[in-house]
Amino acid sequence: MAKSINAPRRYSVKSPLIGYLLRRFVTSILLLIGVTIVTFTLTNLVPGNPVAAALGEGAASNPDTVAAYVEKYGLDKPLPMQYLTYVGNLLQGDMGTSLHTRQPVADDLVKAVPATVEVALASIVVSLAVGTALGAVAAYRRGRLSDQLVRVLSLIGLSIPTFWMALTAFNIFFLQLGIAPGSGRLSPIYAPPPSVTGLYTVDTLLAGQWESFVDVMAHLMLPVFVLSLFTIGLLTRFVRTSVLEVLDADYVRAGRAKGLGGSRMLFGYVLRGASLPILTIVGIAFGSLLSGTVLVEAVFAWPGLGTYAYLSATSLDLPGIMGVGLVVGVIYLGINFIVDMLYGVLDPRARLA
Amino acid sequence: MRRLRLRIPKHWVSPLGVIGAAIALAWVVIAFTAPLYLPHDPLAQGLPRLQAPGIDTLMGTDALGRDVFSRLLSGARVTVPVALLLVAVSMLFGTIVGAVSGFFGKWVDEGLMRLTDLVMAFPTVILAMVVAASLGPSLWNAAIAAIIVSWPQYARMTRSLVLSLRTQNYVIAGRLLGYSPAKSLISDIAPNIVGPILVLATLDIGTAILLLSGLSFLGLGAQPPTAEWGSMISASLQNFDSWWIGVFPGLAILTVVMAFNFIGDSLRDIFDPTSALSKTGVSS
């Protein structure tokens, strides 16, 4: 690419995009350290005896076990040293031992992550499709009956207690009507697909197991339905607002004046222009989905982070709970980093901020 | 103070807001007066177990032979006041932090905002769950956890409002007239912050109720035998066939959260005409 002689030097030497991405990366790393400080502080904040909380009452009555634990985590050393030991252990994949499964927390979580990622991704796809459609309709028909209706529906979606909706959906569609499979990711008659991505939908397709694939989709139905209600409400409101802003923009008027209409106008002009604010809200929606899984997965015996968190919380398994907090915090950071990167690539203005 | 005089223009009154206000008011009244007309003792276990809804027990009985209807009404006395209180506390704390941050800037601002970043680095329920678990399971610890996750949004909003208002001409004019920073903050800036913060707080009441009942559902909030909606729903996990144990408390949560969301959304129309279904058809 030929450089213009007139171009200001600072722009030709360093791309603002690279600078922006580097800044976002450093911020994410700092937040990552912050996340570990939070979980470390909370672990040490436990009222009473943190050793007993981490080992369980039984093991804590054995002085040798306690001494070994204190030695391993450097609990007799000052707090900053304890923190470094904590991070060192995390880097080696040691998150303590779960009190309810009696397995290393890290091993449990590694098994649980793909199930949650699968249900969260499916929910975000459904929410985006439905939310964009509803939001666009509401914006196009601003002030009319359909707009009011969408507004009320999205507010109701934001008001539903997800754990109650999960129980209700389970009751109606599985126990009463029997039209949806009730629990798990796959019926017992099918063997789990050979693990490539850990996502059963993708893995069954890769292995060419059509019947399993259909079964996996059926199992996804209810959890995705319940989880999507809240995010659909969230996305609908934002899509409506951002589409309204775009509808008044000059370039949309220009498109109209050219005689464009219908889908060309909707996809090429309006939704394209409204896509950046929507991208931001997708990051937030992911956060609420990850929150939702904790309250929903257990009802459907979905073997993911949510069920693990539920079982840890109800049995007051502190290492398990902290592990979930840490892993979900890291996943959420990663998603926000990806959103920021996409934003920087798509919108040159963001790079200079 | 002429500026603060209240008047209620006609376009402020929306059907959605009125419906929301009526439902919310009904729940607040129930929360205050429930003990006067409870048909049964919400904690007494004398009734036949797992009885379907009938004339004596309008919403049936649970696995311990307690009246679900009485527990539902007295549950309003747990969740609603605690949620209102915790939203008030996070609003007050967050607004003060945000005002300080926006007004003083520099390292104060930097430090406080990084703190909000840290809280917001977690999905809310996850952080609240982690905090509540490490504090120990109780309703008040769940409320503390909810405050910890919710104050940053007020701080962020107040800060950005203060920052944009500080450079407005009328605020600068006040400073040139010799207003002290405190006087400027209170008489010129504060009146323009109240509206958006109030909208946020109203919508946050719904979020707080969902969060509190969710934590109780996980066993990290109100402890048995307290009649609390979230823990009533989690008790129904063991008795799927007796649908009434879980369905009614869920409807209670749904209606009260919906009511505050309706009010908050209508308030937004009033305080921020540009974002709303403005009847004039002029958008931002």
Side-chain angles (χ1 to χ4, degrees):
Chain A
M1 202 174 82
K3 276 180 192 163
S4 160
I5 313 163
N6 295 327
R9 203 180 145 77
R10 60 200 161 103
Y11 289 114
S12 56
V13 167
K14 203 169 122 196
S15 151
L17 180 61
I18 303 288
Y20 168 82
L21 294 181
L22 272 178
R23 276 199 306 281
R24 299 310 309 168
F25 184 70
V26 171
T27 314
S28 298
I29 294 293
L30 288 177
L31 276 174
L32 187 63
I33 296 171
V35 166
T36 60
I37 292 179
V38 170
T39 50
F40 170 76
T41 313
L42 286 173
T43 313
N44 280 277
L45 202 80
V46 181
N49 187 350
V51 181
L55 289 175
E57 296 299 333
S61 58
N62 181 348
D64 290 340
T65 322
V66 174
Y69 183 82
V70 168
E71 171 72 31
K72 183 178 176 197
Y73 292 99
L75 294 186
D76 47 352
K77 303 205 176 69
L79 273 181
M81 289 303 293
Q82 284 186 34
Y83 172 71
L84 290 180
T85 315
Y86 173 80
V87 173
N89 286 329
L90 283 184
L91 288 176
Q92 292 169 31
D94 178 2
M95 303 170 116
T97 306
S98 160
L99 300 182
H100 81 273
T101 64
R102 312 244 160 234
Q103 299 290 318
V105 171
D107 294 358
D108 288 343
L109 292 176
V110 165
K111 281 181 221 146
V113 166
T116 294
V117 169
E118 179 157 52
V119 75
L121 281 178
S123 304
I124 209 85
V125 170
V126 170
S127 314
L128 256 180
V130 180
T132 310
L134 287 178
V137 166
Y140 266 75
R141 308 188 58 84
R142 172 170 47 175
R144 310 258 192 89
L145 187 66
S146 42
D147 183 20
Q148 308 276 13
L149 202 67
V150 167
R151 180 188 193 189
V152 173
L153 284 180
S154 66
L155 280 173
I156 293 176
L158 292 172
S159 312
I160 296 175
T162 40
F163 51 99
W164 171 76
M165 195 63 223
L167 273 170
T168 310
F170 184 84
N171 230 311
I172 296 175
F173 297 107
F174 175 64
L175 291 179
Q176 306 296 328
L177 302 177
I179 52 173
S183 52
R185 298 174 76 185
L186 193 63
S187 301
I189 53 163
Y190 299 106
S195 182
V196 182
T197 58
L199 310 179
Y200 279 14
T201 40
V202 180
D203 287 355
T204 48
L205 280 183
L206 288 177
Q209 301 166 342
W210 289 105
E211 289 176 21
S212 302
F213 175 74
V214 173
D215 191 58
V216 169
M217 292 300 272
H219 277 84
L220 270 169
M221 236 166 30
L222 282 187
V224 167
F225 164 70
V226 173
L227 280 171
S228 302
L229 288 177
F230 186 88
T231 32
I232 287 174
L234 199 68
L235 286 163
T236 302
R237 325 262 3 236
F238 273 84
V239 170
R240 179 184 178 276
T241 313
S242 39
V243 167
L244 271 183
E245 269 167 31
V246 170
L247 280 180
D248 275 351
D250 287 339
Y251 74 89
V252 170
R253 286 201 194 138
R256 283 227 185 88
K258 271 176 20 184
L260 293 176
S263 63
R264 175 105 172 77
M265 194 69 206
L266 179 65
F267 290 104
Y269 281 63
V270 177
L271 285 184
R272 197 171 162 199
S275 62
L276 281 173
I278 297 174
L279 182 63
T280 317
I281 198 66
V282 165
I284 296 171
F286 238 107
S288 69
L289 274 178
L290 289 172
S291 285
T293 56
V294 173
L295 300 166
V296 167
E297 280 186 5
V299 176
F300 299 109
W302 189 264
L305 289 173
T307 300
Y308 191 73
Y310 175 84
L311 294 174
S312 304
T314 45
S315 60
L316 277 181
D317 171 5
L318 208 62
I321 296 174
M322 286 301 159
V324 172
L326 197 66
V327 167
V328 174
V330 170
I331 293 177
Y332 192 41
L333 268 182
I335 288 162
N336 279 316
F337 179 64
I338 294 171
V339 167
D340 281 348
M341 282 202 312
L342 285 176
Y343 215 103
V345 171
L346 294 176
D347 185 359
R349 285 168 302 181
R351 298 168 202 167
L352 301 172
Chain B
M1 296 272 273
R2 224 182 321 160
R3 198 185 293 124
L4 292 177
R5 194 175 53 186
L6 272 178
R7 58 196 169 84
I8 302 179
K10 255 189 211 134
H11 71 271
W12 280 24
V13 183
S14 77
L16 208 58
V18 172
I19 294 171
I23 301 176
L25 190 68
W27 275 115
V28 170
V29 170
I30 289 174
F32 273 106
T33 61
L36 299 175
Y37 46 79
L38 285 181
H40 297 275
D41 179 348
L43 303 181
Q45 308 185 359
L47 298 164
R49 293 170 186 194
L50 298 175
Q51 206 172 34
I55 294 167
D56 182 43
T57 52
L58 285 173
M59 297 180 180
T61 60
D62 66 8
L64 296 173
R66 296 175 296 195
D67 179 31
V68 173
F69 182 60
S70 303
R71 290 177 66 73
L72 184 106
L73 291 185
S74 73
R77 295 171 67 76
V78 181
T79 312
V80 177
V82 174
L84 290 174
L85 187 70
L86 87 85
V87 167
V89 172
S90 8
M91 179 178 74
L92 205 66
F93 182 68
T95 311
I96 291 172
V97 168
V100 167
S101 198
F103 212 80
F104 291 99
K106 302 208 180 100
W107 62 269
V108 180
D109 182 32
E110 192 62 30
L112 290 172
M113 285 306 114
R114 293 300 77 79
L115 202 59
T116 64
D117 282 344
L118 201 54
V119 174
M120 290 172 130
F122 291 92
T124 48
V125 174
I126 304 291
L127 183 60
M129 177 188 77
V130 173
V131 173
S134 58
L135 291 176
S138 85
L139 181 63
W140 291 111
N141 285 342
I144 292 172
I147 291 172
I148 289 177
V149 299
S150 70
W151 70 269
Q153 41 177 340
Y154 298 99
R156 289 276 185 92
M157 180 178 265
T158 309
R159 174 181 176 272
S160 70
L161 288 171
V162 168
L163 281 181
S164 67
L165 288 169
R166 263 177 61 174
T167 51
Q168 294 285 312
N169 281 334
Y170 77 94
V171 177
I172 296 172
R175 294 301 298 275
L176 289 175
L177 283 171
Y179 283 10
S180 69
K183 164 97 176 152
S184 170
L185 197 58
I186 291 167
S187 65
D188 281 347
I189 294 181
N192 289 298
I193 291 180
V194 173
I197 291 291
L198 216 58
V199 172
L200 187 61
T202 316
L203 294 169
D204 201 29
I205 295 171
T207 315
I209 292 173
L210 286 179
L211 186 55
L212 275 180
S213 55
L215 288 174
S216 296
F217 176 76
L218 292 175
L220 297 173
Q223 295 300 299
T226 313
E228 197 278 339
W229 296 334
S231 46
M232 287 167 79
I233 296 175
S234 88
S236 79
L237 269 174
Q238 277 94 46
N239 294 288
F240 272 121
D241 293 331
S242 313
W243 54 269
W244 54 89
I245 303 176
V247 166
F248 293 117
L251 288 176
I253 300 175
L254 174 63
T255 49
V256 74
V257 172
M258 200 178 69
F260 282 107
N261 279 345
F262 281 179
I263 301 174
D265 210 57
S266 308
L267 279 179
R268 189 178 5 222
D269 288 359
I270 296 169
F271 287 114
D272 183 9
T274 53
S275 80
L277 295 156
S278 62
K279 299 248 160 59
T280 53
V282 182
S283 84
S284 54

